[in-house]
Amino acid sequence: CASLNTLIQNPFFKTELTSITLTNDSYKNKMSCYISKLLVQTLFFSSALASADAARPFLTPSNPVRQQALKVRGGWTGVDTTKAITKVGLVVGTATWLSPNTILDKSGIENVDPSILLVTRRIGLSLLNFSIVSYFLLFQDTDASTAVGIACLPSIVELSKTLFDGTHKEIEMPATGQAIALFVSTLLSFSLLNDFPLSKDTLLKIHSGWYVLNGVLMGCFPELACKVWVDQDVTGLSVLQYFVSLSGFGVLSYGTLSGCLATGMTTTKALAFGAVPFFLRFILSLFV
């Protein structure tokens, strides 16, 4: 217990390696179990929302009689299920972004390092980014560039918060990387939401390239990502690497989504392909 408490309370986990392997496995198992339950709950609530929508007898602009009859005869459509999952994704993403402590507490992880809190926040942000794009495409019928441009706004808020609330000083990481990411996110959002010399498809591809590149870096090479972006050596800190990798695959999913949309792929297919990287990483984490 003493070794565990020391490990948790130290800002960079710089303790002797005694019992760290067991502790790391415990952390990752707890987080994997929590995400497993979260996915099951997401599917359950999505099914419930879709069922309620299919059974609703009242006439609404989005629920005409003909559509109701088709639902009764044929069950849910792919769009119905995607809409339901989007609603849950918005709630879960927002909760994880705004209250990472609560999410970690529900995972059985308490008094965690500030670095873990920040990365958990970023995992929620990636889920929120993805869900915002889905929401505006499915519910508001906006074009892809507008949806992605709006989805950039929470990233701008998050990066600004990290820079100006002292978070980067608390975990002793340089502000340069966060400032670069803030500049790129702001430029992408502005260009996607306004007239710009480049075409919207080209801007979506640039957006995709930026997020896919960083997603692969963080997801597959978390040690290198920490060195590049926050100038920290996390060799041997498998807990932090695990969280960074999860965050990276969330970023990769977001970038994959915008890339699919840039090709003119249908919304439901783009959302499905976009979700693949994060789910594959999660499934892999259950066995490795």
Side-chain angles (χ1 to χ4, degrees):
C1 289
S3 175
L4 175 60
N5 290 331
T6 301
L7 177 65
I8 293 175
Q9 294 170 4
N10 188 289
F12 299 105
F13 299 117
K14 292 180 179 177
T15 64
E16 57 274 339
L17 296 179
T18 305
S19 300
I20 285 183
T21 301
L22 177 60
T23 302
N24 288 343
D25 290 342
S26 176
Y27 269 106
K28 290 188 284 187
N29 288 338
K30 286 180 178 179
M31 194 62 181
S32 294
C33 288
Y34 175 73
I35 296 176
S36 298
K37 290 189 291 185
L38 185 59
L39 289 176
V40 171
Q41 291 169 355
T42 297
L43 292 174
F44 173 78
F45 284 117
S46 299
S47 300
L49 287 170
S51 297
D53 183 65
R56 186 173 56 190
F58 304 106
L59 296 178
T60 64
S62 62
N63 196 18
V65 173
R66 182 180 180 184
Q67 188 176 20
Q68 285 293 91
L70 288 174
K71 287 182 180 179
V72 171
R73 291 201 305 268
W76 314 334
T77 66
V79 174
D80 296 326
T81 304
T82 306
K83 283 184 174 182
I85 293 175
T86 296
K87 293 176 183 178
V88 178
L90 287 170
V91 174
V92 174
T94 301
T96 307
W97 178 40
L98 296 179
S99 186
N101 273 311
T102 301
I103 299 302
L104 293 173
D105 285 345
K106 289 182 178 296
S107 306
I109 305 173
E110 302 176 348
N111 302 318
V112 297
D113 176 85
S115 298
I116 297 293
L117 286 177
L118 176 62
V119 178
T120 303
R121 210 164 74 194
R122 297 291 170 88
I123 293 173
L125 176 64
S126 296
L127 178 57
L128 181 59
N129 291 145
F130 193 100
S131 299
I132 287 175
V133 175
S134 179
Y135 172 80
F136 278 95
L137 290 174
L138 295 174
F139 290 87
Q140 301 300 324
D141 197 28
T142 62
D143 57 85
S145 59
T146 300
V148 175
I150 293 173
C152 289
L153 297 178
S155 298
I156 296 172
V157 173
E158 165 63 21
L159 291 164
S160 299
K161 181 179 185 299
T162 303
L163 279 173
F164 300 115
D165 72 352
T167 298
H168 71 287
K169 293 181 180 179
E170 183 181 9
I171 61 178
E172 298 183 12
M173 70 177 183
T176 307
Q178 303 302 300
I180 292 173
L182 175 59
F183 172 77
V184 173
S185 297
T186 303
L187 181 61
L188 285 171
S189 180
F190 178 83
S191 59
L192 285 165
L193 293 174
N194 297 277
D195 292 332
F196 204 73
L198 297 176
S199 70
K200 297 302 183 183
D201 285 344
T202 300
L203 290 170
L204 283 173
K205 290 176 183 177
I206 293 173
H207 178 281
S208 175
W210 169 257
Y211 280 93
V212 167
L213 175 63
N214 283 284
V216 170
L217 178 63
M218 295 169 61
C220 301
F221 310 100
E223 288 186 49
L224 179 59
C226 289
K227 187 64 178 177
V228 170
W229 282 112
V230 299
D231 194 27
Q232 291 183 10
D233 183 6
V234 298
T235 303
L237 306 180
S238 62
V239 174
L240 184 55
Q241 290 183 37
Y242 171 74
F243 277 80
V244 171
S245 181
L246 276 181
S247 177
F249 275 89
V251 171
L252 179 57
S253 280
Y254 181 38
T256 301
L257 172 60
S258 59
C260 290
L261 292 172
T263 66
M265 187 180 293
T266 61
T267 297
T268 50
K269 285 185 178 180
L271 290 169
F273 277 110
V276 167
F278 181 78
F279 278 99
L280 284 180
R281 176 63 182 87
F282 165 70
I283 293 171
L284 180 64
S285 70
L286 296 177
F287 302 99
V288 178

